[in-house]
Amino acid sequence: MSSFTHWNESGRPKMVDISDKDSSSRTASAQAVITLSAELYEAIQAGSIKKGDPLQVAQIAGIMGAKKTAEIIPMCHPIQLQGTDFDFQYMKSKEGYELIMQAEVKCDGKTGVEMEALTAVSIAALTFYDMCKAVDKSMVIKETSLLKKTGGKSGDYIRS
């Protein structure tokens, strides 16, 4: 069992010791895609979602999610984020629309922010669903992925 990085010599889970790692500037970008009906898209554009602007609330929830990642993903280290931002883009699709949500997270630290970026878009997508479900329960949250990461021992990554 000790050959696994997140297991101790007794074969029990552990958080990896990063105390000997060097701090570096790190960023990560992640994306989630949500399919939605034309009816929902039109309601959002008209400002007629009864709960309010779903993108505003989703963005706030996503930022909160990034900050709370270590509390909900067991082996993540608590890190001090220097920034979290979002971009939202609607695209026409065969069945209606797709909302592409992207989050970028930054920190200077000893461990990366990939999980924070992925958590940010996941929580934002769930919040968007919650805000809009009264109009369209058929929404699908799909294709959550890491787009890019920079910094750290493993170097940079860009999804091809």
Side-chain angles (χ1 to χ4, degrees), residues 138-155:
S138 70
M139 289 176 283
V140 176
I141 300 169
K142 62 180 192 171
E143 299 171 13
T144 301
S145 59
L146 180 69
L147 299 176
K148 178 181 171 183
K149 71 99 108 181
T150 64
K153 183 178 173 184
S154 66

Side-chain angles (χ1 to χ4, degrees), residues 49-54 57-58 126-134:
I49 302 296
K50 290 182 181 180
K51 292 183 178 183
D53 182 347
V57 178
L126 290 167
T127 300
F128 181 89
Y129 186 97
D130 180 56
M131 293 291 293
C132 299
K133 67 187 178 200

Side-chain angles (χ1 to χ4, degrees), residues 9-151:
E9 292 296 323
S10 301
R12 301 190 50 82
K14 72 172 185 176
M15 184 188 299
V16 172
D17 182 356
I18 60 170
S19 58
D20 290 336
K21 290 178 78 176
D22 293 327
S23 286
S24 66
S25 180
R26 298 161 183 265
T27 66
S29 300
Q31 173 176 289
V33 179
I34 304 172
T35 62
L36 55 139
S37 66
E39 175 190 9
L40 175 55
Y41 174 78
E42 291 164 11
I44 293 166
Q45 297 307 307
S48 62
I49 302 296
K50 290 182 181 180
K51 292 183 178 183
D53 182 347
L55 294 182
Q56 297 285 341
V57 178
Q59 184 160 350
I60 292 167
I63 292 167
M64 291 174 66
K67 291 166 45 174
K68 299 263 184 198
T69 300
E71 294 177 30
I72 58 175
I73 307 293
M75 301 305 174
C76 283
H77 293 82
I79 58 178
Q80 187 160 359
L81 301 180
Q82 270 78 45
T84 303
D85 198 7
F86 272 83
D87 184 60
F88 301 100
Q89 184 177 9
Y90 290 103
M91 308 265 307
K92 185 85 172 100
S93 69
K94 290 181 214 171
E95 295 89 31
Y97 287 85
E98 290 186 339
L99 171 59
I100 300 164
M101 299 182 152
Q102 292 183 351
E104 182 176 60
V105 181
K106 297 178 181 181
C107 81
D108 290 324
K110 295 183 175 198
T111 189
V113 289
E114 297 97 300
M115 292 308 299
E116 286 73 12
L118 287 162
T119 301
V121 294
S122 298
I123 297 297
L126 290 167
T127 300
F128 181 89
Y129 186 97
D130 180 56
M131 293 291 293
C132 299
K133 67 187 178 200
V135 177
D136 181 9
K137 288 179 180 48
S138 70
M139 289 176 283
V140 176
I141 300 169
K142 62 180 192 171
E143 299 171 13
T144 301
S145 59
L146 180 69
L147 299 176
K148 178 181 171 183
K149 71 99 108 181
T150 64

